[in-house]
Amino acid sequence: MIDKYINKLNVNPFWGGLIIQAFHAGYNNKECSLLLHYIILPMVLYGDVRNSLLLINKNTTLTNFVSQNRANLIELQQHIWILRNPTNQALIVLHNKKYIQLKEYVEVIKTIDYNNYNDDMRKYLRAATYLGLMLKKETLLDVFRILKIIP
C-alpha cells in the first residue's frame, strides 16, 4: 500500500524539479545540456543506484562508478524511457518557476542546497548533487558512451 504512494511521489513534477535543482548544484555550471537531464531522475530515484551515488567522493569518475555498479545500471535505459515524461514535466515546472531557462541548453538560474531539507528528502537530493559533481567532469558524448545508453 505504501509503495503506491511512494511511486506517486517519485513522479511528482515538483519533487522531480527539486532533484534536478540539486543536480545543478553539484554540476555547478551556468549551462547544462538538455539531454543530460533525462538520466538524473532514473539514477536518483532507483534505490540501488541512489545508494551507490551516496558513497562516491569528489575523485570518483563516471567510468569507475559504472564499473563498480554495472549490475545496478542494467535497466537504466528502460528507466530513462519510463521517466521521460516526468522529467519533461519537472523541467516545465522549473521553467515556470523561473529557476531555469529552456533554450538550446538549460540555463540554470537557481539551485538548492540539500542540507536545507529533512532527512527523508536529503538522501535523494544529496545523491543528485553527487551525480552532478561526477558528471561535470565528462563530456556529454562520454556520459552516454560510458553508460551505454541512447539519449
Side-chain angles (χ1 to χ4, degrees), residues 76-146:
L76 181 61
Q77 184 71 62
Q78 182 180 359
H79 290 288
I80 289 171
W81 289 333
I82 291 169
L83 292 172
R84 182 175 293 270
N85 284 336
T87 299
N88 286 339
Q89 292 170 353
L91 289 169
I92 291 169
V93 165
L94 291 175
H95 179 75
N96 286 342
K97 291 174 106 177
K98 307 280 190 242
Y99 294 161
I100 63 170
Q101 283 290 344
L102 294 173
K103 299 179 179 180
E104 218 173 287
Y105 282 84
V106 175
E107 184 180 323
V108 180
I109 297 170
K110 182 179 179 186
T111 62
I112 61 167
D113 181 6
Y114 63 83
N115 290 314
N116 296 336
Y117 292 86
N118 66 34
D119 290 337
D120 295 330
M121 297 172 73
R122 190 176 302 140
K123 65 182 177 182
Y124 289 89
L125 300 177
R126 192 174 82 192
T129 301
Y130 289 179
L131 178 62
L133 285 168
M134 184 172 54
L135 294 185
K136 77 177 181 180
K137 302 172 196 169
E138 308 288 343
T139 65
L140 181 64
L141 186 60
D142 284 342
V143 168
F144 289 106
R145 184 184 53 78
I146 294 168

